[in-house]
Amino acid sequence: MTQNDAGEITSRIDQNLRQRLEQMGEHMQVKDTNGEHVGTVDKLEGDQLKLTKNDSPDGQHHYVPLSQVESMDDVAVYLNVERGAVQ
């Protein structure tokens, strides 16, 4: 696989992820690389997931860059980082 092929694959994954998040991402759970609950998706905002403030220990919105999203299923969005890395 050439470097360009890898870029195209990454772009397709990113596009697929965005489409899925736009269609069903609101109020999905967000889990870290260890399966620990990080928060709940409020909405997709640009290149970041905006988490609900109701599910935040400090009552503030937190944001997760899409680069930290590993995968998602019908239940949750799974991150490639630990909970402490989420801003």
Side-chain angles (χ1 to χ4, degrees):
M1 175 172 20
T2 67
Q3 190 172 17
N4 191 35
D5 290 343
E8 288 177 19
I9 291 169
T10 301
S11 178
R12 276 185 273 156
I13 291 169
D14 181 62
Q15 184 178 10
N16 182 35
L17 177 64
R18 284 177 185 279
Q19 288 173 346
R20 291 183 67 190
L21 285 168
E22 287 170 2
Q23 291 172 359
M24 57 189 248
E26 291 184 12
H27 306 293
M28 291 184 73
Q29 295 179 53
V30 179
K31 297 188 177 201
D32 75 356
T33 191
N34 298 317
E36 291 185 38
H37 182 78
V38 172
T40 304
V41 176
D42 187 7
K43 63 182 177 178
L44 182 62
E45 219 173 73
D47 287 342
Q48 300 181 77
L49 292 177
K50 181 179 181 181
L51 304 183
T52 62
K53 59 183 177 182
N54 296 354
D55 199 19
S56 171
D58 62 4
Q60 301 294 315
H61 287 288
H62 291 268
Y63 294 85
V64 178
L66 290 183
S67 62
Q68 292 182 343
V69 175
E70 180 70 27
S71 63
M72 65 182 286
D73 59 22
D74 293 340
V75 177
V77 176
Y78 301 93
L79 305 180
N80 57 18
V81 297
E82 291 186 357
R83 183 178 183 181
V86 175
Q87 303 291 323

